[in-house]
Amino acid sequence: MSIRKKLTLLFTAIIAGLLLLFALVIYFSFSENREEQYYSLLRHTAITKANLLLDAKIPPSVLQLIYHQSGNTLFQEEVAIYDTAFHLLYHDAVEIDQVKETQKMIDDIIRNKEITFYQGSLQVVGILYHHNNNDYVITAAANDQYGYAKLRSLKYNLIISFFVAIIFIFLAGRFIANKALQPVADMVDKVEEITATNLDLRISEGNGKDEMAELAITFNEMLNRLEKSFDAQKEFVSNISHELRTPLTAMLAELQLTVNNQRTNEEYKQSIHHAISDAQKLVRLSNGLLDLAKANYDQTEITFKELRLDEILLDARNDVLHNQHGYKVNIIFETEIENDDFISVKGNEYLLKVAFMNLMENGCKFSEENKSTVAITYYKDKTILRFQDNGIGIDEKEVPHIFTSFYRGENKKYAGGNGIGLSLTKKIIDLHKGTLSVASEINKGTTFTVELIHL
């Protein structure tokens, strides 16, 4: 069942329930009022006849004649008057006597002063009437035919009105559901137009305030992320193609020249060294791409545990020195570590090690001394690592782009690379909810600052 139908039926059911409750309240209130009013009428009639009999001294035969001459004797009030000793003083129609008075009934009336009850379709009231220092027991009974007729008429009117109202409520609910869901229908129509080739399209955000606007805004934000992801993927594939093509082409050309031309042993060795160098570039590029893929995983897919940053830095330093024998990396503790938690974080050991190695190699690679210094300090809630070098520095206009994948600035002529290292490092630090910033000055050096929340 569609949401439109569900909303329509739910709206109809709720309003119908309220109308039914309202109709029942009206019906039973009217029924109760009719009952009370008729008991009051019976009480008044009983007292009036008692006064005619006791005060006006009208003979019982005359009162009975008046009763029998009435056109609606079957529905007229039937009154009986007794003394407290259960002696009958007057009765409208002894031969009919629809209410069979008993000694117990008389005693109940004397004890309670007044009683009311139903006998079949008749309403009956019994009262203790005090008159001229004497007590009399009076009963009056009748069928409220007129009142019941009005009650039936009210019931039929309520039933008819209820079902007619249900029809209008259903139509109104359908109209409201259509109006409420029209923005959704418009969104669906617009979304069907959006494909991988036109991710720049966006759906209307309406007034920007209601729930539908919030949904549209959220959906547009998702489209923004998808568009960026698709653009990044396209750029990524394009850059990979370029980065792979260059060393592969150079390697192939070198090997073809070596095969086609007779050379000395020294020249063969030199060609092999060139091929090895290109192969090493491919290996570094492949490793960088694999690490970049790992850093792009969702955090829930990566194992995190408690780690000591100093131990990871030492492991990263050893791997850098093992891979590049000419590099020098110094690690300095600027403040004394009072608690192991101050240099401990919750993270992924492999990814953090890759990030630190990239920053160390980057510092060594772009400094004449091939030297990088790592300074460690901590504050109340975070540990700060500064990777410093005295190299060529980074131009101010290039700083905003250095964390972009495959971006290489003017300093690429000083050292080789594939433009993955810094973007990979930034993704890893972001994954650990840390921050990575850079401060650089041309020909004076660069400092990368990593801030991580410690335990």
Side-chain angles (χ1 to χ4, degrees):
M1 185 183 294
S2 65
I3 295 179
R4 181 178 285 102
K5 290 182 179 178
K6 287 181 180 178
L7 285 176
T8 302
L9 294 178
L10 181 62
F11 176 81
T12 304
I14 292 175
I15 301 302
L18 293 175
L19 279 178
L20 179 60
L21 179 62
F22 180 70
L24 291 175
V25 169
I26 292 177
Y27 179 80
F28 287 109
S29 296
F30 183 85
S31 177
E32 185 176 348
N33 289 335
R34 181 211 62 78
E35 182 182 73
E36 290 298 326
Q37 289 177 1
Y38 204 65
Y39 277 132
S40 177
L41 177 63
L42 289 175
R43 194 179 299 110
H44 177 73
T45 301
I47 294 173
T48 300
K49 286 194 175 183
N51 289 332
L52 289 174
L53 179 69
L54 299 175
D55 284 340
K57 306 298 181 178
I58 297 177
S61 58
V62 176
L63 290 177
Q64 290 173 346
L65 181 62
I66 295 173
Y67 175 82
H68 287 294
Q69 291 299 319
S70 299
N72 58 341
T73 305
L74 293 177
F75 309 118
Q76 189 176 350
E77 298 85 356
E78 179 186 295
V79 177
I81 303 174
Y82 295 84
D83 61 17
T84 54
F86 196 30
H87 296 134
L88 180 62
L89 302 179
Y90 172 78
H91 198 293
D92 278 326
V94 178
E95 68 280 2
I96 300 176
D97 194 16
Q98 299 185 73
V99 179
K100 308 299 182 181
E101 292 86 356
T102 63
Q103 182 66 54
K104 183 178 180 301
M105 183 188 299
I106 299 299
D107 293 340
D108 287 342
I109 296 172
I110 294 173
R111 183 173 58 254
N112 297 312
K113 303 296 190 293
E114 180 177 327
I115 62 172
T116 57
F117 60 93
Y118 277 86
Q119 181 169 305
S121 61
L122 297 177
Q123 284 182 245
V124 183
V125 62
I127 60 174
L128 180 65
Y129 182 59
H130 186 75
H131 184 271
N132 293 333
N133 299 321
N134 292 315
D135 290 328
Y136 301 90
V137 175
I138 309 173
T139 63
N143 186 331
D144 186 13
Q145 190 71 12
Y146 178 69
Y148 282 124
K150 290 200 297 182
L151 188 62
R152 283 193 299 272
S153 176
L154 175 64
K155 179 175 68 174
Y156 296 143
N157 288 335
L158 287 175
I159 292 173
I160 294 172
S161 300
F162 175 78
F163 285 106
V164 171
I166 290 296
I167 296 174
F168 285 104
I169 291 169
F170 178 81
L171 296 175
R174 190 171 180 178
F175 174 77
I176 292 173
N178 288 334
K179 291 294 289 184
L181 294 176
Q182 186 59 45
V184 177
D186 295 339
M187 287 183 194
V188 172
D189 293 339
K190 191 66 176 180
V191 169
E192 288 178 348
E193 300 176 7
I194 301 175
T195 63
T197 58
N198 58 357
L199 280 175
D200 57 318
L201 294 180
R202 295 294 181 268
I203 60 178
S204 174
E205 297 178 358
N207 58 16
K209 297 178 181 179
D210 58 21
E211 288 79 2
M212 291 300 176
E214 291 180 6
L215 177 62
I217 292 171
T218 302
F219 195 85
N220 283 337
E221 290 175 351
M222 183 192 70
L223 287 175
N224 290 335
R225 293 191 295 270
L226 284 176
E227 185 179 15
K228 290 179 181 179
S229 177
F230 270 76
D231 291 342
Q233 186 180 27
K234 292 177 183 177
E235 183 181 1
F236 185 76
V237 172
S238 175
N239 288 325
I240 286 178
S241 300
H242 174 74
E243 294 291 337
L244 289 174
R245 187 183 298 113
T246 301
L248 284 174
T249 302
M251 186 188 305
L252 182 61
E254 186 69 34
L255 293 175
Q256 286 176 339
L257 287 174
T258 302
V259 170
N260 293 331
N261 298 314
Q262 187 68 30
R263 298 190 177 189
T264 63
N265 288 338
E266 187 63 32
E267 290 174 333
Y268 278 124
K269 287 183 180 180
Q270 188 175 4
S271 296
I272 292 173
H273 282 307
H274 289 161
I276 291 174
S277 176
D278 291 331
Q280 288 175 337
K281 290 180 181 179
L282 285 175
V283 170
R284 287 196 299 270
L285 178 61
S286 299
N287 290 336
L289 293 175
L290 289 174
D291 292 336
L292 186 61
K294 291 179 181 178
N296 282 324
Y297 290 166
D298 183 73
Q299 183 173 343
T300 57
E301 300 294 328
I302 300 176
T303 302
F304 280 70
K305 62 181 182 179
E306 293 184 10
L307 304 168
R308 284 179 60 100
L309 290 175
D310 55 343
E311 294 177 354
I312 299 176
L313 285 170
L314 288 172
D315 289 343
R317 175 181 179 274
N318 292 336
D319 286 354
V320 169
L321 298 182
H322 178 268
N323 296 335
Q324 302 290 342
H325 299 290
Y327 285 2
K328 297 182 286 293
V329 179
N330 296 329
I331 299 177
I332 301 173
F333 290 86
E334 294 185 334
T335 54
E336 183 178 353
I337 305 300
E338 300 176 358
N339 189 326
D340 289 346
D341 288 347
F342 294 161
I343 55 169
S344 298
V345 298
K346 199 168 187 65
N348 182 273
E349 182 177 5
Y350 171 78
L351 291 178
L352 285 176
K353 181 179 175 181
V354 169
F356 296 161
M357 287 179 63
N358 286 337
L359 293 175
M360 291 175 182
E361 290 179 346
N362 196 75
C364 294
K365 183 165 55 177
F366 292 104
S367 63
E368 293 183 1
E369 300 176 351
N370 298 129
K371 178 180 178 182
S372 176
T373 301
V374 183
I376 306 175
T377 187
Y378 66 88
Y379 292 98
K380 181 178 179 181
D381 59 346
K382 60 186 175 182
T383 301
I384 298 178
L385 310 176
R386 292 197 302 277
F387 296 79
Q388 303 168 314
D389 66 70
N390 296 318
I392 60 175
I394 305 172
D395 194 305
E396 183 178 355
K397 66 182 180 181
E398 294 182 344
V399 170
H401 308 289
I402 60 174
F403 297 120
T404 303
S405 298
F406 300 103
Y407 177 80
R408 301 193 63 205
E410 292 296 327
N411 55 14
K412 64 183 179 181
K413 58 188 177 183
Y414 293 98
N418 49 40
I420 294 177
L422 288 179
S423 64
L424 171 60
T425 301
K426 182 70 165 63
K427 290 181 183 295
I428 292 174
I429 300 303
D430 290 342
L431 190 64
H432 287 76
K433 302 189 185 306
T435 60
L436 175 62
S437 58
V438 59
S440 183
E441 192 172 347
I442 296 296
N443 297 325
K444 290 188 178 182
T446 302
T447 300
F448 288 92
T449 302
V450 176
E451 297 183 5
L452 294 170
I453 300 174
H454 63 58
L455 298 178

